[in-house]
Amino acid sequence: MRAVVLHEFGPAENLRTEVLPDPVPGPGQVRIAVRAAGVHFVETVMRRGEGSAMAPPLPELPAVLGGEVAGTVESVGPEVGAEWLGRSVVVSRSTPGGYAELTVADAGNLHVIPDGLGFEAAVTMVMTGATTMGLLGEARLRPGDVVLVTSAAGGVGRLVVQYARSLGATVIGAAGGRAKADAVRELGADIAVDYDVPGWEREVAARLGGRRVTAVLDGVSGERGAAAFELLADGGRYVVIGWSSQRAFEPEPGLLAERRITFTNALHRLLAAPEEGPAREREALAAAAEGRWVPAVQAFPLSRAAQAHAALERRETTGKVVLVP
């Protein structure tokens, strides 16, 4: 099979397409012909060899990164029924990683892809969608909220915007670049701004006309997260849902107490409760199949995994990045 292999930590070009032996499913496992493989920003951090509290442990090299895949079951191992053969499935954990034409996964972790949902949409929802479900559970948004979403054009951010709009909240979407801001506006955000333009936070304040933000769902952190915090009303909620800037922002406890602001690192909360993952995966897939959420996908050929990583690092992508063998 063809796979994208990392032999040495470093820049994106270290990801190279090679031919590897086909993986063999063991007891309780199936082999999947991959039709779509998800790519995460955190995988760019791992590829560089940088440790982080928000990232899984670094892999042993050589490594095939990824793990979430959608495809067709082409063979089964011992103790797995033949009824799985030919089924369209999606899974969030596979071995070797998902950057490959074939991968192996435990049958107990598989989800049958709902009717009407394509492979690329399914692989988006099984992890990014499920993560968003968990993050929204921490945010506890309400219909009367004024919600500011940063990194609003990303895979998680787009789903958050859709959810907040469905509640009837006022939604402000902030993203990097005019094209991304336009994409967020098309999702239905009441206000969409380009946070690469200096003074974007003043534009938001002016357009709110005296209203204040009651909930920030911050997917970027760093300086933009700090600017979003300044827009937050006293008594509001600040929820960390990402860290694409790779620069932490966390207000001083005294300031939070003075302004009665609740600060929640939702990503840390999710990492501490992995047992909730399967239920969120099922819920996210159902939301997409029923049309309640419409995931956005930016697909790259498997052979262009390095370009996909580089585009993610330059914040040039919109929606979920997916590799297609």
Side-chain angles (χ1 to χ4, degrees):
M1 69 170 183
R2 290 186 309 139
V4 176
V5 183
L6 179 69
H7 287 275
E8 182 180 0
F9 296 122
E13 53 264 30
N14 285 8
L15 295 170
R16 298 186 178 92
T17 304
E18 300 179 6
V19 176
L20 298 180
D22 293 352
V24 178
Q29 296 183 322
V30 304
R31 186 165 70 196
I32 301 168
V34 179
R35 297 288 298 276
V39 180
H40 280 280
F41 180 81
V42 71
E43 291 161 8
T44 69
V45 178
M46 296 167 65
R47 187 211 70 232
R48 295 195 298 270
E50 299 173 3
S52 167
M54 305 290 249
L58 295 179
E60 293 185 11
L61 301 181
V64 178
L65 298 179
E68 62 204 64
V69 299
T72 304
V73 176
E74 63 148 46
S75 66
V76 299
E79 304 172 15
V80 178
E83 68 272 11
W84 280 106
L85 290 171
R87 283 189 175 180
S88 295
V89 298
V90 62
V91 66
S92 60
R93 296 171 295 282
S94 66
T95 306
Y99 297 11
E101 292 178 319
L102 297 170
T103 192
V104 166
D106 291 340
N109 294 332
L110 300 177
H111 301 281
V112 175
I113 298 177
D115 291 343
L117 198 62
F119 291 110
E120 294 177 10
V123 85
T124 298
M125 298 308 293
V126 77
M127 182 62 78
T128 298
T131 298
T132 306
M133 286 285 182
L135 298 172
L136 289 169
E138 296 289 340
R140 297 181 176 87
L141 298 182
R142 301 183 290 265
D145 274 324
V146 178
V147 182
L148 170 58
V149 185
T150 67
S151 196
V156 170
R158 291 178 66 96
L159 297 177
V160 171
V161 169
Q162 292 177 53
Y163 177 84
R165 285 293 296 153
S166 72
L167 284 181
T170 299
V171 182
I172 306 147
R178 180 175 178 178
K180 289 187 178 182
D182 289 344
V184 173
R185 186 177 295 107
E186 291 172 3
L187 283 175
D190 299 280
I191 299 172
V193 294
D194 174 4
Y195 57 28
D196 286 344
V197 176
W200 67 271
E201 66 274 24
R202 293 191 293 275
E203 178 186 349
V204 170
R207 294 180 65 180
L208 284 175
R211 298 178 71 191
R212 296 297 299 271
V213 172
T214 60
V216 171
L217 278 74
D218 179 27
V220 64
S221 200
E223 294 178 0
R224 292 175 179 86
F229 180 81
E230 293 305 315
L231 291 167
L232 191 58
D234 290 353
R237 292 107 68 206
Y238 189 104
V239 183
V240 177
I241 64 171
W243 54 292
S244 62
S245 71
Q246 298 184 71
R247 296 181 177 88
F249 167 70
E250 185 168 350
E252 292 294 329
L255 179 59
L256 293 174
E258 177 185 341
R259 296 186 55 194
R260 296 175 286 105
I261 290 174
T262 301
F263 182 93
T264 304
N265 192 319
L267 283 178
H268 280 162
R269 294 277 185 90
L270 293 189
L271 290 172
E275 70 280 358
E276 299 174 4
R280 287 196 297 263
E281 291 171 2
R282 290 191 293 271
E283 187 179 359
L285 289 165
E290 295 164 8
R292 290 182 281 126
W293 277 357
V294 180
V297 174
Q298 185 165 346
F300 290 78
L302 179 66
S303 60
R304 296 188 63 215
Q307 289 91 330
H309 269 229
L312 262 175
E313 290 173 305
R314 293 193 298 263
R315 297 206 298 265
E316 294 174 350
T317 61
T318 300
K320 174 71 173 179
V321 175
V322 172
L323 300 178
V324 179

